[in-house]
Amino acid sequence: MITGHTNTVGVVIPDISSHFFANALRGISTAAREAGYELLLSSTDGDLGLERRAVDLLAAKRVDAIIVAPVSTEDTAHLEKLAEQGIAVALLDRPAPHVKTASYVSVDHVGASSMAVNHLLDLGHRKIGIVTEAIMPPNWQEAVDSGDALSLRPSAARLVGYRNALRGVGIRVREEYVAHSAYSKSAARAATERLIRQYPEITAIYCTDSELSAGSFAALQDLEISCPGSISLIGFDDQDWATLVRPRLTVVEQPNYQLGMASAEEAIGAIADPLGARPNRTLSGRLIVRDSTGRPRAR
C-alpha cells in the first residue's frame, strides 16, 4: 500500500504447452525472479475472449505489468486501456500496433526467414516451395515498403522474408509455390503432398514453423521421397524431434529463452520508468545446418 506496487507480473500466452512459449516463460521467470517479482500466468488457447478475461483479472489483482503474446494485432482495446490503469505492457513475439505505450520484443522474423531461404539458394536451389500458415493483411506490402514489417504477425513476416530472399537474387516469386496450411501437422502434411504432386520440379521446401515442418517431413516419408536427395527441407524453430529423425532437420533456431528474458526486462523497466521511451527489441535467429538440406538433384 505504501509503494503502490504488488511486485507481481502477469503473463498471458496462447499455449503453455508450446515449445516456444514454454522456453520463453522460463526466460520470463528467470528475469522476473532476479528483479524480485513473482508471476501470475494465464494460458488462453488462442481465444481472444479468454485473453480479455485474463487481462481484466490480472488488472483487478493490480499486477505491476503484463507480458502478453496477443491473439489479435487489431482487436486490442483491452490492452490499450492498461496504460490508463498504470499497468506496464510488454508484447512478446506478436505485435499490437495500437498499444502505443507497450514495448515489443521479437525475433527479426523477416531476416531469419531470409536466412533460411538464402541457405537453400546458396546450395543451388532455385525452385523453392514454402509451407506457411500466413494470411497476409491487405496492407502488408505497404508495411514492408515503409520498413514497418514489425507490424506484421510472425507468420506473415516469415513469408515476406521468403519473398525478399528470392527477389534478392532475381528469382520471380511464384505464388503457386506458396502452400497455405492451417496450424497442424495433418494440414501441413496434406499441403506438402499437394505442392509436390502439382509442382514436381520443386527441389526444396521451407516450412515457417516447427509444427508445419513435422507435417512436411511426414509427407516426404509417406511419398517415399529422398531427403535431401530429391527434396531438401528446412524448418523454422528448433525442437527435440528435429535431431531424433533421419535425416536430422536443418532449422532456423529462435532464441526463445532470451526473448522471454528480454520481454520481462522491458516490462520491469517500464514499471520503474513509466514515461520512458519503449523501443522495439529484435533478436536474431541462428541457422543450424543438419542433414535435411543439400544440393539439388533431379527427381
Side-chain angles (χ1 to χ4, degrees):
M1 292 175 65
I2 293 172
T3 64
H5 294 299
T6 60
N7 281 53
T8 54
V9 173
V11 182
V12 182
I13 56 177
D15 183 5
I16 195 172
S17 67
S18 157
H19 176 269
F20 171 83
F21 286 115
N23 281 336
L25 184 59
R26 287 179 50 244
I28 293 171
S29 178
T30 298
R33 186 171 55 248
E34 290 177 352
Y37 287 82
E38 297 298 330
L39 298 183
L40 295 176
L41 172 66
S42 179
S43 181
T44 66
D45 294 325
D47 183 285
L48 183 58
L50 291 179
E51 178 181 288
R52 291 195 192 100
R53 287 169 55 188
V55 167
D56 289 343
L57 178 62
L58 291 169
K61 290 184 176 296
R62 300 305 303 167
V63 296
D64 298 320
I66 293 179
I67 300 169
V68 56
V71 172
S72 171
T73 59
E74 297 296 325
D75 196 341
T76 54
H78 56 297
L79 301 178
E80 296 167 47
K81 72 179 183 181
L82 290 174
E84 302 170 8
Q85 300 171 281
I87 299 173
V89 181
L91 304 171
L92 171 62
D93 189 54
R94 301 176 179 183
H98 299 306
V99 189
K100 302 298 184 183
T101 59
S103 56
Y104 174 39
V105 178
S106 76
V107 166
D108 175 8
H109 292 287
V110 174
S113 191
S114 292
M115 183 192 307
V117 180
N118 280 326
H119 170 63
L120 297 172
L121 292 169
D122 290 344
L123 289 171
H125 295 277
R126 291 299 180 265
K127 293 177 170 48
I128 302 171
I130 181 172
V131 180
T132 174
E133 60 170 324
I135 299 176
M136 306 303 286
N139 62 338
W140 74 269
Q141 189 64 63
E142 291 84 346
V144 173
D145 292 343
S146 65
D148 190 26
L150 285 175
S151 65
L152 299 175
R153 291 180 65 85
S155 57
R158 293 171 195 172
L159 181 53
V160 170
Y162 163 83
R163 293 172 179 271
N164 287 355
L166 295 179
R167 288 170 175 162
V169 295
I171 296 177
R172 178 177 65 88
V173 176
R174 297 183 58 171
E175 296 300 331
E176 61 269 28
Y177 286 179
V178 179
H180 293 280
S181 169
Y183 184 72
S184 75
K185 295 182 182 69
S186 59
R189 175 188 288 187
T192 303
E193 290 181 355
R194 288 194 302 270
L195 184 67
I196 292 171
R197 287 191 171 113
Q198 292 176 5
Y199 306 103
E201 70 275 13
I202 286 176
T203 62
I205 295 175
Y206 164 47
C207 299
T208 60
D209 182 88
S210 59
E211 190 82 358
L212 306 185
S213 301
S216 290
F217 191 95
L220 295 182
Q221 291 183 321
D222 290 345
L223 296 174
E224 298 183 348
I225 292 176
S226 170
C227 175
S230 296
I231 290 184
S232 286
L233 183 67
I234 187 169
F236 198 101
D237 208 5
D238 199 16
Q239 290 200 13
D240 291 342
W241 71 264
T243 59
L244 300 177
V245 297
R246 293 296 181 271
R248 298 175 304 161
L249 186 68
T250 296
V251 297
V252 172
E253 179 189 49
Q254 294 192 88
N256 307 338
Y257 182 82
Q258 290 78 6
L259 282 168
M261 288 196 70
S263 66
E265 291 165 358
E266 287 296 322
I268 293 166
I271 296 169
D273 183 15
L275 299 180
R278 305 263 71 87
N280 296 320
R281 287 178 64 176
T282 55
L283 281 65
S284 298
R286 180 170 71 101
L287 179 67
I288 302 178
V289 179
R290 297 189 178 119
D291 310 322
S292 66
T293 51
R295 295 193 175 279
R297 294 200 296 265
R299 228 171 40 247

